[in-house]
Amino acid sequence: MPIDATAPYDDQNIFAKILRGEIPNKTVYEDEYALAFHDINPQAPHHILVIPKGAYVSWDDFSANAPETEIAGFIRAVGKVAREAGLVEPGYRLLANVGMDAHQEVPHLHVHIFAGRKLGPMLAQD
């Protein structure tokens, strides 16, 4: 169910539980700012999620409230994950849903990295 991106952070969300080690994941990268792991329901041959270690509901919350070092560290981690996975060529897509209309389902900022096939147009045609 899509969530309200302006709601307070819920520390019982699935990604908070993954960060605390309560739920296992297939980690591909971790540093002080981010954790990256394979999506359990992949939408492309390569589908990796990258989440910040801080408690941020959405990209909006993160960009407005995270310290500069955390923002830089997270963005660098996303790029490093894509490079280390060999996705730069032939290419990959980043996606961060924010709020109900974008169908954000987990109230913790997360960036999807999709790759491994031609991904088609950015949005479905009506």
Side-chain angles (χ1 to χ4, degrees):
M1 175 187 327
I3 60 102
D4 177 354
T6 62
Y9 185 80
D10 172 10
D11 69 355
Q12 294 304 305
N13 76 71
I14 191 169
F15 294 159
K17 291 178 180 183
I18 287 172
L19 285 169
R20 290 193 300 266
E22 296 170 10
I23 297 175
N25 70 88
K26 292 183 181 177
T27 298
V28 297
Y29 178 81
E30 184 171 13
D31 67 16
E32 65 185 291
Y33 302 107
L35 175 67
F37 50 93
H38 292 282
D39 193 291
I40 62 169
N41 185 25
Q43 303 299 304
H46 298 284
H47 186 171
I48 299 170
L49 296 173
V50 187
I51 62 174
K53 289 194 170 176
Y56 302 101
V57 174
S58 66
W59 190 268
D60 182 68
D61 180 21
F62 181 69
S63 65
N65 298 307
E68 305 261 334
T69 54
E70 200 169 350
I71 292 170
F74 178 71
I75 291 171
R76 288 185 188 280
V78 171
K80 186 170 186 172
V81 168
R83 280 189 305 280
E84 288 183 355
L87 306 177
V88 175
E89 284 299 326
Y92 62 92
R93 178 173 293 160
L94 299 178
L95 175 71
N97 296 315
V98 178
M100 291 183 275
D101 278 359
H103 206 62
Q104 181 181 357
E105 294 180 351
V106 179
H108 185 109
L109 169 61
H110 53 289
V111 173
H112 298 261
I113 301 175
F114 300 108
R117 66 173 169 81
K118 292 186 184 217
L119 297 170
M122 294 256 300
L123 297 172
Q125 304 300 313
D126 290 333

